Amino acid sequence: MAELEHKASYIRAIQMLIIPGVFRTESYARAIIRSGITDLPANELNARVEHRTRRRDIFDRPRPTPFEAFIHEAALRMRYCDPETTRAQLAFLHEVSTWPSVTIRIIPFTRQTTGSVHSTLYAGAEIPALDTVQLDSAFDAGFLDAEAQLARYRALLDSIESISLDTEESAQFIQHIAQEM
């Protein structure tokens, strides 16, 4: 995943139930990793959290990777950790939304989606034939690169864009949910 993000010329992602990995705070990342692997040794947990946060290096380049994230309201409201950690995560997500190469757009519960949508990351390449889609599930991940599949996921991302809030509304929405916690 880190290599895919590192080499992408642009990224578009949909996250339905969790904050995108590259935008997670250390505390939130720690809680998420612990919830999936409860017996992970401390040194392994620390290494995973550090790796997760270092993935943000793509935004520190002279030409940062453009990253457009569509995040469902459910991901903002899920209680994977204590309210303080969740509030801090939402505050960080709000900050991230101001970074020059990042676009955060929220999909509220009130918007009708077009069919079943799952977490997806579309990594665009300098050569479009090398674009890759990464699909997430609860138990594993998959990668797609056939043109017909890529076209289907580009259309899905465009349909999600059409139902999501604009960037200003999304930033306000994130702050509103943080205040509710």
Side-chain angles (χ1 to χ4, degrees):
M1 188 65 187
E3 185 173 358
L4 189 62
E5 289 170 343
H6 179 76
K7 294 190 176 187
S9 57
Y10 68 92
I11 298 169
R12 296 181 82 196
I14 301 169
Q15 279 294 342
M16 299 302 288
L17 297 174
I18 199 163
I19 303 297
V22 73
F23 301 134
R24 293 180 194 160
T25 63
E26 286 185 29
S27 297
Y28 184 85
R30 188 173 304 282
I32 295 298
I33 293 167
R34 268 198 196 126
S35 71
I37 309 171
T38 56
D39 60 347
L40 195 64
N43 63 334
E44 180 68 22
L45 175 63
N46 292 337
R48 288 179 185 215
V49 170
E50 180 183 352
H51 178 73
R52 176 82 50 176
T53 56
R54 289 193 56 176
R55 285 170 44 198
R56 284 197 286 274
D57 289 351
I58 64 173
F59 302 112
D60 294 331
R61 300 173 179 166
R63 287 182 32 213
T65 304
F67 197 118
E68 183 176 31
F70 300 99
I71 305 170
H72 198 279
E73 180 179 349
L76 305 178
R77 293 189 181 277
M78 293 295 284
R79 301 288 177 112
Y80 296 108
C81 43
D82 61 86
E84 283 182 26
T85 301
T86 303
R87 268 193 300 279
Q89 175 60 64
L90 293 174
F92 184 66
L93 185 61
H94 184 267
E95 176 190 329
V96 164
S97 73
T98 67
W99 295 356
S101 66
V102 174
T103 302
I104 303 287
R105 299 197 46 188
I106 304 302
I107 309 159
F109 284 124
T110 57
R111 302 285 171 96
Q112 183 175 344
T113 60
T114 55
S116 177
V117 179
H118 49 273
S119 295
T120 303
L121 183 132
Y122 190 106
E126 292 292 325
I127 301 167
L130 299 177
D131 287 3
T132 302
V133 169
Q134 186 263 334
L135 302 173
D136 254 344
S137 78
F139 303 104
D140 65 3
F143 296 90
L144 307 173
D145 60 6
E147 179 51 40
Q149 295 166 323
L150 295 173
R152 191 169 46 229
Y153 282 95
R154 284 191 299 268
L156 172 65
L157 283 154
D158 290 344
S159 74
I160 292 300
E161 180 178 5
S162 73
I163 64 165
S164 65
L165 301 175
D166 68 30
T167 56
E168 286 184 30
E169 291 171 318
S170 294
Q172 292 170 359
F173 199 86
I174 293 166
Q175 286 182 313
H176 175 74
I177 291 174
Q179 290 169 353
E180 287 181 355
M181 299 254 151

